[in-house]
């Protein structure tokens, strides 16, 4: 049994910006919308699953007005908009869980000022579309050349056939002589022969994306990896910092 503390949290990623250094608490909830199906003659109230799901996400932390990357700047830029949010609560290690939020809308931004306290902020997101638990395929780290994680792949123990979703969060990029960088999810039945599972949009700037993986036989396959390549070739100053993760649909936290 593993236990985790606040120091294990590796990232709070919103549209490519890591807000971890500002945040003091994160909470989220996924819930089934239950309806009352009690009828006359019942001795006990009964509830039924409406099959509708909902979610909530809230961040609280210290106010910071750093231009573009500060929590205040991000909150104001994303207010009222749908976002791609990825939480890495357990650490930045291959195979650990992440939570992927497909399109939560930033509903409210609150600034809190108290006597004898540093200024704080609260950000509330209204859940919109899926919240997906997956596993980290590529850790949040910088790359400077073409590469992949095939030699340190993620073993899903078995293939699945319900598709899934890939998440990428790119927190920094310098192109130098390159045109862009393209990241992919790849899968394999044996960890030796690999094929593309899905390709993320070519990136030239900080940002994030959720990539749908269509259901098919043995899709995704047992072993999962990420790859990346610089279009036009990486220059001496080309660098990109990003993470990649995969959610397998229909398999809980796989």
């Amino acid at each position: 049994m593993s236990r985790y503390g606040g120091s294990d949290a590796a990232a709070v990623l919103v549209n490519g910006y890591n807000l971890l250094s500002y945040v003091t608490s994160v909470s989220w909830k996924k819930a089934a919308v239950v309806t009352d199906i009690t009828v006359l003659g019942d001795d006990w109230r009964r509830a039924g699953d409406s099959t509708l799901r909902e979610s909530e996400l809230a961040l609280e932390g210290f106010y910071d007005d750093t231009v573009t990357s500060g929590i205040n700047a991000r909150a104001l830029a994303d207010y009222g908009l749908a976002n791609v949010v990825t939480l890495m609560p357990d650490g930045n290690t291959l195979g650990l869980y992440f939570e992927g939020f497909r399109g939560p809308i930033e509903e409210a931004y609150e600034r809190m000022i108290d006597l004898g306290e540093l200024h704080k902020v609260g950000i509330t997101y209204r859940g919109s579309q899926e919240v997906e638990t997956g596993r980290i395929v590529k850790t949040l780290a910088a790359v400077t050349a073409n590469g992949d994680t095939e030699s340190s792949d993620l073993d899903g123990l078995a293939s699945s056939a319900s598709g899934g979703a890939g998440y990428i969060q790119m927190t920094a990029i310098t192109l130098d002589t390159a045109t862009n960088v393209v990241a992919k999810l790849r899968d394999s039945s044996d960890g030796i022969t690999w094929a593309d599972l899905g390709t993320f949009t070519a990136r030239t700037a900080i940002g994030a994306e959720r990539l749908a993986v269509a259901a098919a036989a043995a899709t995704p396959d047992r072993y999962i990896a990420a790859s990346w390549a610089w279009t036009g070739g990486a220059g001496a100053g080309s660098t990109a910092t990003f993470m990649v993760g995969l959610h397998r649909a229909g398999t809980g936290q796989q």
Side-chain angles (χ1 to χ4, degrees):
M1 178 179 179
S2 299
R3 293 182 171 87
Y4 299 93
S7 61
D8 293 306
V12 177
L13 299 160
V14 181
N15 299 333
Y17 291 89
N18 190 356
L19 303 182
L20 184 71
S21 61
Y22 308 109
V23 172
T24 57
S25 70
V26 181
S27 63
W28 67 96
K29 180 174 70 174
K30 296 183 283 188
V33 178
V34 175
T35 186
D36 190 334
I37 58 172
T38 310
V39 297
L40 294 175
D42 284 340
D43 296 321
W44 288 83
R45 186 174 294 280
R46 295 193 296 155
D49 183 1
S50 71
T51 72
L52 188 65
R53 301 293 180 258
E54 61 184 9
S55 65
E56 300 173 6
L57 171 64
L59 309 180
E60 187 171 300
F62 292 108
Y63 172 83
D64 187 287
D65 60 359
T66 302
V67 176
T68 304
S69 61
I71 193 168
N72 184 64
R74 298 320 316 155
L76 295 179
D78 300 332
Y79 184 69
L81 302 178
N83 302 270
V84 177
V85 178
T86 307
L87 306 179
M88 299 166 65
D90 302 335
N92 184 27
T93 302
L94 176 71
L96 288 182
Y97 293 127
F98 73 89
E99 291 287 341
F101 296 74
R102 178 177 179 178
I105 296 173
E106 186 186 324
E107 183 178 34
Y109 172 58
E110 179 183 11
R111 184 170 173 183
M112 296 163 281
I113 304 173
D114 291 308
L115 183 66
E117 299 285 345
L118 294 175
H119 295 195
K120 292 184 179 181
V121 296
I123 305 172
T124 304
Y125 297 87
R126 173 75 63 94
S128 179
Q129 302 184 87
E130 294 91 338
V131 180
E132 299 164 314
T133 302
R135 292 183 182 268
I136 298 169
V137 178
K138 180 200 173 294
T139 59
L140 181 62
V143 301
T144 57
N146 296 352
D148 60 59
T149 64
E150 293 174 9
S151 62
S152 55
D153 56 55
L154 174 64
D155 185 354
L157 303 181
S159 64
S160 49
S162 299
Y167 281 81
I168 186 171
Q169 291 274 357
M170 185 164 290
T171 62
I173 181 170
T174 300
L175 292 173
D176 193 36
T177 57
T179 303
N180 54 53
V181 63
V182 179
K184 298 181 179 182
L185 278 168
R186 292 171 59 78
D187 67 348
S188 169
S189 62
D190 56 10
I192 299 172
T193 303
W194 293 87
D196 290 348
L197 181 63
T199 303
F200 293 99
T201 301
R203 300 225 61 88
T204 60
I206 289 171
E209 182 183 359
R210 176 192 181 271
L211 175 68
V213 176
T219 303
D221 225 325
R222 173 174 175 172
Y223 298 95
I224 305 296
S227 69
W228 54 91
W230 297 88
T231 303
S238 298
T239 180
T241 301
F242 62 98
M243 66 78 64
V244 175
L246 174 71
H247 160 76
R248 289 180 184 264
T251 56
Q253 295 185 327
Q254 295 295 319

